[in-house]
């Protein structure tokens, strides 16, 4: 990415932060800040195994339908990849739009955060559009630049992933089922063509610790037909 483009993104970020800052003129617009973390037994993303036991903190600032979120993942093993993502999102009604900058610090590499070179960056830039109908949510995600996967001929794949998910209750537990696929060949998801990469079932429950404190926990069963792998993960939310 050129210095001009980097400057452009800097200007956009400053404009966003200016918008998110409270003002006397728009006192009715409430700025909200939220933070939290998950501790997971394994980091599996869209059916891909990205690490073992991991701590995954997050912080978000939002105003109206606009939000800026930072999310990270740090594995307990030194060989695990460390990740830091920034997502600029907007939602209105059931519609959601997002642009995410994923950054991966691979073990043994000399990854530099501010390296946006076309052939050297480890950042991945993804655009997302989704709609939540209530009983069913749909989303489409496409990598637009950065360290995207390639096709068999070496061309950029614009690797994409689309998913359908449905929430429901079962036995007093909040549950969800999801299925996701990549539509064409790419090395990013390890697919030689259209492939289902994620079939998952998740259950979430709050465990009462004291009369005034509960601990949210979740378990997730995941199958990836494309890689012929299956996973069962457990997590705690703080």
């Amino acid at each position: 990415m050129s210095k001009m483009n980097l400057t452009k993104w800097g200007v956009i970020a400053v404009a966003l932060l200016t918008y998110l800052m409270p003002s006397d003129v728009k006192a009715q617009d409430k700025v909200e800040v939220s933070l939290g973390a998950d501790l997971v037994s394994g980091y599996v993303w869209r059916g891909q195994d990205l690490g073992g036991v991991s701590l995954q903190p997050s912080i978000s600032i939002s105003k109206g339908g606009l939000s800026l979120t930072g999310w990270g993942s740090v594995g307990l093993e030194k060989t695990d990849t460390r990740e830091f993502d920034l997502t600029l999102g907007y939602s209105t009604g059931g519609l959601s739009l997002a642009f995410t900058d994923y950054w991966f610090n691979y073990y043994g590499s000399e990854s530099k955060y501010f390296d946006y070179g076309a052939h050297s960056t480890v950042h991945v830039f993804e655009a997302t559009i989704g709609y939540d109908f209530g009983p069913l949510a749909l989303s489409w995600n496409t990598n637009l630049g950065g360290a995207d996967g390639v096709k068999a001929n070496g061309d950029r794949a614009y690797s994409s992933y689309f998913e359908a998910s449905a929430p429901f209750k079962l036995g007093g537990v909040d549950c969800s089922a999801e299925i996701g696929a990549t539509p064409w060949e790419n090395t990013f998801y390890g697919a030689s063509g259209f492939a289902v990469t994620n079939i998952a079932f998740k259950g979430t429950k709050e465990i009462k610790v004291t009369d005034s404190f509960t601990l949210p926990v979740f378990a997730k069963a995941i199958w990836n037909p494309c890689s012929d792998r299956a996973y069962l993960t457990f997590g705690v939310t703080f």
Side-chain angles (χ1 to χ4, degrees), residues 62-67 88-98 130-132:
S62 60
K63 184 178 182 181
L66 193 64
S67 65
L88 176 62
Y90 177 75
S91 61
T92 177
L95 177 67
S96 60
L97 305 171
Y131 198 91
D132 189 346

Side-chain angles (χ1 to χ4, degrees), residues 28-75:
Q28 72 278 12
D29 293 337
K30 184 179 180 181
V31 175
E32 297 182 349
V33 177
S34 61
L35 63 153
D38 289 338
L39 179 62
V40 296
S41 63
Y43 178 20
V44 181
W45 178 72
R46 297 177 182 173
Q48 299 183 94
D49 184 359
L50 299 186
V53 178
S54 301
L55 180 63
Q56 300 176 333
S58 65
I59 183 169
S60 178
I61 180 171
S62 60
K63 184 178 182 181
L66 193 64
S67 65
L68 179 63
T69 302
W71 184 92
S73 183
V74 179

Side-chain angles (χ1 to χ4, degrees), residues 102-158:
Y102 298 94
W103 181 67
F104 303 94
N105 186 8
Y106 299 100
Y107 174 73
S109 71
E110 297 182 358
S111 305
K112 297 179 180 179
Y113 187 84
F114 294 103
D115 179 2
Y116 291 96
H119 302 291
S120 59
T121 187
V122 293
H123 287 264
V124 177
F125 305 102
E126 178 190 75
T128 299
I129 182 171
Y131 198 91
D132 189 346
F133 296 92
L136 179 69
L138 303 174
S139 66
W140 180 283
N141 313 266
T142 295
N143 293 342
L144 300 180
D148 183 23
V150 295
K151 298 179 180 179
N153 61 7
D155 290 345
R156 178 182 293 278
Y158 293 97

